[in-house]
Amino acid sequence: MPKVQFTRHLKTHFPTLSEVEVEGGTVGQVVIALDQRYPGLKSYLTDDQGSLRRHVNIFVNEELIRDRTRLTDVLRPRDRLFVMQALSGG
Amino acid sequence: MGSPNRVILGTRKGLLILEQRKGGWRVTNHSHVGAPVPYAIRDRRHDVLWASLDHGHWGSKLKRSDDHGKTWEEVPAPAYPKAAKMKSWMTEKPVPATLRYIWVIEPGPPDRPDRIYLGTEPGGLFQSNDGGKSFRLVKSLWNHPSRIPSWAGGGRDFPGIHSILVDPRDSKRILIGISCAGVFETLDEGKTWEVRNQGLKADFLPNPDVEVGHDPHLVDACKSDPDMLWQQNHCGIFRSKDGAKSWTRVSKKKGTAHFGFAIAVDEKDGDTAWVVPAISDEVRISVGGALVVCRTKDGGKSWKTFRSGLPQKESYDVVFRHGLDKRNGTLAFGTTTGNFYVSEDRGKNWSTVGTNFPPIYSVRFT
């Protein structure tokens, strides 16, 4: 199963968040699985229409995902996902 | 009842509650530390605090507290329907609508105890009928034929609803203020909407008398005489004596009171209102480097300028649209440079509560 790591910023809002393995053949499926484990997490990563938020990045291994709109990037069982925030704001 | 002795601030770095105790005003609560809080208010019907958050990365959120801010619970933020589209001046075609910002939270009237309204960017009015557990877009306003062609961003990229006024005499009558579109009125609790911009001037458009496209920065009503309405508009101060059927500009371009964002109307006297002016659209700082409050008692025919207790040189402060509030004889305002002031004599004299707050977005007595 893909393994997911998170920026520590998200722990402010989800204190129990930690590295986790979840089922999912695509990035979108992983996000849904994460939301089941941490209710509400999906709304922090994607907007009302399901697209990745503008200042959120998801890497698969070391590559940024390509489909930020529908999250269809395909995953292999041993992939590692990194959920990061873009550096912005002041 | 609300208290003039406690005030809740939405700031760029969190929510602050200040209470007046012996020796002055003190911060008694700092919640959502570090997060921008565009708006916060107490729902007096249920003694619940509400706050909107604007996380730079994680989107707009909605929080409630049932214990005066000790703990907060996140409730699902309003979501635009899948088919909803939005448009601004910089998008050629409509694009999928997503929640950008929760401008204002308005508890419903006493006879709708579970009703809460939200005004959002991009131009969404949301309504909850279950105490805020869920919100739905008011589609009748969203589908108004003027929205796509004539609503535009005002200060932000997409149009925003910042003023929601439920008539205390008739909760089916609601006025909405939109930047930029203008004022809309429903008489049937949101089934149908009429444009109420007669008399407004949009000096920033080729046709200042356009039907829709005006920029009311904030609309406020006299609570005991709700047909007496005021707005601090991008193009001056306007008032209506007939429930928004018509508006009259009551400020002059060269007057101290003209440009600004916030306005507060007296609860009992619809001829009396306060503003905190800035120089102009092009120069958004205090007039002449002096922070002042202007008040009219005669419906805008004349304005008195109050300076006592406020910095009279090297002030660069601007007061955002929700940054001024009034409760009985007490007024308070917070500024973009993190200064917070209170007057207990209807604006004549001011006390400095603090000068090191974060930029202040909203000020509401609890």
Side-chain angles (χ1 to χ4, degrees):
Chain A
M1 285 190 288
K3 195 177 277 185
V4 188
Q5 284 179 263
F6 302 92
T7 169
R8 65 182 168 78
H9 282 215
L10 272 170
K11 281 185 76 93
T12 306
H13 311 291
F14 299 90
T16 62
L17 199 64
S18 60
E19 184 171 322
V20 63
E21 287 185 354
V22 290
E23 295 277 0
T26 66
V27 172
Q29 289 168 1
V30 164
V31 169
I32 288 168
L34 290 171
D35 193 62
Q36 286 166 354
R37 191 165 300 198
Y38 301 103
L41 180 59
K42 183 175 183 291
S43 76
Y44 279 65
L45 308 184
T46 64
D47 64 26
D48 323 24
Q49 309 294 356
S51 296
L52 196 62
R53 292 192 179 278
R54 201 151 58 113
H55 298 295
V56 175
N57 286 329
I58 296 179
F59 292 83
V60 177
N61 303 317
E62 294 186 13
E63 299 278 327
L64 270 173
I65 63 167
R66 295 191 177 149
D67 181 1
R68 297 177 65 93
T69 306
R70 294 185 299 140
L71 312 184
T72 57
D73 290 44
V74 174
L75 302 175
R76 293 165 300 181
R78 299 190 66 175
D79 279 338
R80 294 177 68 88
L81 273 70
F82 299 87
V83 178
M84 316 294 285
Q85 85 282 4
L87 298 182
S88 57
Chain B
M1 286 296 290
S3 166
N5 303 321
R6 189 183 301 132
V7 68
I8 181 167
L9 308 186
T11 84
R12 187 178 167 92
K13 301 294 179 184
L15 177 150
L16 297 168
I17 298 173
L18 284 81
E19 293 183 31
Q20 190 178 31
R21 295 179 173 176
K22 272 186 185 169
W25 290 82
R26 295 283 178 272
V27 175
T28 57
N29 181 291
H30 185 193
S31 297
H32 315 303
V33 178
V37 177
Y39 197 84
I41 194 170
R42 172 170 169 258
D43 183 344
R44 288 173 224 156
R45 300 169 304 174
H46 305 296
D47 197 14
V48 171
L49 300 184
W50 288 92
S52 67
L53 274 63
D54 179 37
H55 294 297
H57 299 95
W58 318 117
S60 287
K61 307 296 178 203
L62 193 58
K63 304 269 188 176
R64 65 174 286 161
S65 173
D66 295 320
D67 54 13
H68 306 107
K70 290 187 190 74
T71 61
W72 293 84
E73 174 194 357
E74 184 163 327
V75 299
Y80 284 82
K82 290 286 179 203
K85 303 276 193 202
M86 61 187 182
K87 188 178 179 304
S88 85
W89 48 267
M90 66 323 174
T91 57
E92 285 179 23
K93 292 179 182 170
V95 297
T98 58
L99 179 67
R100 296 296 189 97
Y101 200 71
I102 302 173
W103 270 110
V104 65
I105 304 161
E106 185 62 35
D111 62 343
R112 304 282 191 275
D114 292 324
R115 174 78 52 81
I116 298 168
Y117 295 103
L118 303 176
T120 69
E121 181 197 359
L125 175 66
F126 284 84
Q127 177 177 314
S128 172
N129 292 323
D130 56 11
K133 292 186 185 76
S134 64
F135 287 88
R136 65 172 180 78
L137 182 66
V138 177
K139 288 188 179 172
S140 52
L141 184 61
W142 183 254
N143 293 330
H144 195 278
S146 67
R147 185 178 67 82
I148 289 289
S150 303
W151 297 18
R156 297 178 60 83
D157 289 345
F158 292 90
I161 294 178
H162 48 66
S163 301
I164 302 169
L165 296 100
V166 182
D167 191 328
R169 302 163 301 189
D170 174 8
S171 54
K172 291 183 176 174
R173 178 172 180 263
I174 304 163
L175 288 163
I176 303 291
I178 305 167
S179 290
C180 293
V183 178
F184 287 69
E185 179 188 43
T186 178
L187 298 173
D188 51 19
E189 210 166 11
K191 290 186 184 73
T192 58
W193 295 86
E194 296 293 333
V195 178
R196 294 291 182 226
N197 291 335
Q198 180 70 43
L200 295 182
K201 300 289 177 188
D203 297 334
F204 50 89
L205 292 176
N207 174 15
D209 298 312
V210 67
E211 186 188 14
V212 176
H214 295 272
D215 189 8
H217 287 168
L218 191 79
V219 185
D220 196 16
C222 175
K223 287 186 174 51
S224 62
D225 191 359
D227 286 340
M228 299 290 264
L229 291 154
W230 290 77
Q231 60 174 277
Q232 173 65 71
N233 187 294
H234 195 87
C235 301
I237 302 163
F238 293 76
R239 76 176 301 214
S240 170
K241 295 193 283 186
D242 55 12
K245 288 186 183 68
S246 65
W247 295 91
T248 304
R249 182 151 51 189
V250 294
S251 65
K252 293 186 173 61
K253 257 184 190 166
K254 293 196 173 171
T256 301
H258 183 68
F259 185 81
F261 294 92
I263 190 163
V265 182
D266 191 71
E267 296 97 323
K268 293 176 182 164
D269 177 8
D271 284 326
T272 297
W274 291 258
V275 295
V276 190
I279 293 177
S280 67
D281 174 14
E282 309 87 274
V283 188
R284 300 183 183 192
I285 59 172
S286 308
V287 181
L291 186 56
V292 301
V293 173
C294 294
R295 184 208 63 199
T296 179
K297 290 170 77 174
D298 54 13
K301 289 190 188 79
S302 64
W303 293 89
K304 192 167 179 65
T305 300
F306 296 127
R307 302 174 182 275
S308 174
L310 299 172
Q312 292 304 293
K313 60 179 182 179
E314 296 171 2
S315 165
Y316 310 99
D317 301 67
V318 166
V319 177
F320 281 147
R321 68 194 74 215
H322 298 125
L324 167 69
D325 198 18
K326 178 179 182 298
R327 183 69 47 79
N328 304 325
T330 304
L331 284 95
F333 71 88
T335 79
T336 51
T337 34
N339 299 317
F340 182 62
Y341 303 97
V342 173
S343 167
E344 292 178 357
D345 58 2
R346 298 174 63 81
K348 293 187 188 77
N349 297 284
W350 293 86
S351 305
T352 303
V353 175
T355 56
N356 290 307
F357 292 111
I360 295 168
Y361 298 139
S362 76
V363 173
R364 288 294 178 261
F365 286 110
T366 66

